[in-house]
Amino acid sequence: MNSTWNKSVRNSIKSADEANHQLDVECFYEGKFPIKIPLEFADKIEAGNPLDPLLLQVLPSTSQTQEGFSVSPLEDEKHSPIRGVIHKYPSRVLLIASQVCAIHCQYCFRQNFDYEERDILSNWRQIEQYLQENLGINEVILSGGDPLTLSDGKIEKIVKSVEGVERIKTLRIHSRTAVVVPSRITDKLADILSKTRLKVVMVFHINHPREVSLDFINQVKKLQSLTLLNQSVLLKGVNDNASILGTLSHKLFASSIIPYYLHLLDKVIGAEHFLISDLRAKEIYRELQNSLSGYLLPKLVRDEGGESKSLLV
Ligand code: SF4
């Protein structure tokens, strides 16, 4: 495992006391979803500012549960035919590649997901058989947790196994680790992903332009042979502003990353304070539409019943 990124993840801030001390604030307390802030991300938070948009994403909630919020808003568990697999659409299958994330985003819809029961590495033989037998599948999505918390060696093993199923053409990887710990984009990882016969689509998860840091910009240059997309979540206090989202789109595009989806919040308990009304979301989006070229405009979507549905404006 590469020592720089591994050290950054291993030495993450993991308690409220530590977070308050290192970030020079008093707003952290121990919440339901444990605190986890990797050092490379913590370095980008403005010390002493409890309203910093990067800090707010990792700050546990003090809000009350509201109607319509649940522990598992997307009900992924209902679409898990075997351990490690979520299969909602005939042509693509999502694999829970890792039980771990490099960061704990306090709005995450999977914060209550039972990873112990569903990771793939402990069930790889059965998963290979599932990929062989389900003839409609042509795309494999590695998600988690975050697949890039696995070592390069494990990723190489997964890529080679997927390559072995001739029918599968595309490998999609969803990752926030590559953004919050840019040193995770190692030369070896870039090599594995650029040499496979599979068409690799890397979907980053970036919510704020300050996350597109100089070190991320430099590291992501290694992945230019892949298709690079981004998805964001519209979060109150973090990016609920057309100017911030416009700046994010421009910064992404400058690094050859296409702004792809802007998700409305999934209503998971603990994330109530991030919610923006549909009306406000549409206002922000109209403003964004008026200021950006079409290729810089992400689709505004809500995940419903396993699908990302466009929120028409
Ligand atoms: S990295 Fe992704 S899966 Fe992990 S906590 Fe953040 S949003 Fe959730």
Side-chain angles (χ1 to χ4, degrees):
M1 206 177 268
N2 180 283
S3 59
T4 309
W5 75 266
N6 191 25
K7 197 169 154 197
S8 178
V9 175
R10 212 176 38 233
N11 296 336
S12 295
I13 297 171
K14 287 188 186 133
S15 73
D17 283 350
E18 220 184 322
N20 284 326
H21 177 70
Q22 290 215 28
L23 302 172
D24 193 22
V25 287
E26 293 176 353
C27 51
F28 281 86
Y29 80 108
E30 302 299 342
K32 190 172 59 66
F33 190 33
I35 292 166
K36 188 172 186 184
I37 314 170
L39 296 183
E40 287 178 54
F41 190 79
D43 282 349
K44 295 178 185 95
I45 293 174
E46 186 192 345
N49 180 5
L51 298 179
D52 182 278
L54 274 54
L55 176 148
L56 291 176
Q57 295 179 56
V58 292
L59 180 68
S61 152
T62 51
S63 54
Q64 296 292 316
T65 296
Q66 291 172 22
E67 204 185 322
F69 282 73
S70 66
V71 287
S72 181
L74 301 191
E75 299 186 315
D76 277 346
E77 297 84 347
K78 287 187 180 166
H79 304 273
S80 184
I82 58 167
R83 201 168 78 221
V85 170
I86 296 176
H87 197 177
K88 293 180 179 175
Y89 312 97
S91 65
R92 51 202 187 273
V93 70
L94 185 145
L95 306 184
I96 301 293
S98 166
Q99 304 174 18
V100 178
C101 288
I103 187 169
H104 284 178
C105 314
Q106 294 291 333
Y107 52 83
C108 178
F109 72 91
R110 287 218 177 108
Q111 58 184 271
N112 301 302
F113 196 76
D114 184 1
Y115 289 111
E116 291 294 330
E117 293 298 314
R118 292 186 171 84
D119 74 297
I120 56 170
L121 289 172
S122 57
N123 192 30
W124 191 247
R125 231 170 238 281
Q126 203 186 355
I127 287 170
E128 274 184 321
Q129 194 180 343
Y130 190 84
L131 296 178
Q132 292 285 2
E133 288 172 356
N134 282 270
L135 302 180
I137 298 171
N138 56 32
E139 177 176 358
V140 167
I141 303 166
L142 299 184
S143 186
D146 194 312
L148 294 191
T149 55
L150 297 176
S151 68
D152 290 336
K154 283 183 179 163
I155 289 178
E156 187 168 32
K157 192 172 163 229
I158 293 171
V159 170
K160 284 200 182 314
S161 297
V162 175
E163 269 179 345
V165 185
E166 208 179 316
R167 177 177 13 89
I168 295 173
K169 307 285 181 243
T170 306
L171 179 69
R172 195 190 329 164
I173 301 175
H174 286 200
S175 180
R176 183 149 169 77
T177 295
V179 178
V180 299
V181 184
S183 57
R184 175 64 193 93
I185 306 174
T186 59
D187 294 347
K188 170 84 176 159
L189 178 72
D191 197 51
I192 295 164
L193 299 180
S194 61
K195 287 192 174 148
T196 171
R197 70 155 181 87
L198 299 163
K199 178 78 186 161
V200 179
V201 180
M202 179 72 79
V203 185
F204 295 115
H205 175 173
I206 306 174
N207 298 318
H208 192 278
R210 274 190 23 227
E211 294 169 36
V212 188
S213 58
L214 204 54
D215 44 355
F216 175 72
I217 291 168
N218 286 330
Q219 290 289 91
V220 88
K221 286 178 185 158
K222 296 176 190 171
L223 303 179
Q224 296 295 309
S225 65
L226 317 183
T227 298
L228 304 178
L229 306 176
N230 184 59
Q231 54 183 351
S232 307
V233 182
L234 191 53
L235 299 166
K236 191 173 186 176
V238 173
N239 58 7
D240 54 335
N241 172 310
S243 162
I244 290 173
L245 291 169
T247 304
L248 174 59
S249 281
H250 281 287
K251 285 189 84 171
L252 291 168
F253 192 69
S255 284
S256 304
I257 303 168
I258 302 294
Y260 183 53
Y261 275 153
L262 178 59
H263 289 269
L264 293 174
L265 182 76
D266 294 314
K267 292 184 176 178
V268 65
I269 289 172
E272 292 84 349
H273 59 299
F274 289 115
L275 185 67
I276 292 164
S277 70
D278 283 7
L279 191 67
R280 178 67 190 130
K282 288 176 184 177
E283 275 173 12
I284 294 168
Y285 195 70
R286 271 191 214 104
E287 216 183 309
L288 201 59
Q289 253 177 335
N290 290 335
S291 66
L292 292 178
S293 302
Y295 57 87
L296 293 175
L297 189 70
K299 285 183 202 133
L300 181 63
V301 294
R302 165 182 282 131
D303 285 334
E304 265 176 20
E307 284 183 66
S308 291
K309 290 197 177 148
S310 175
L311 197 76
L312 296 175
V313 291

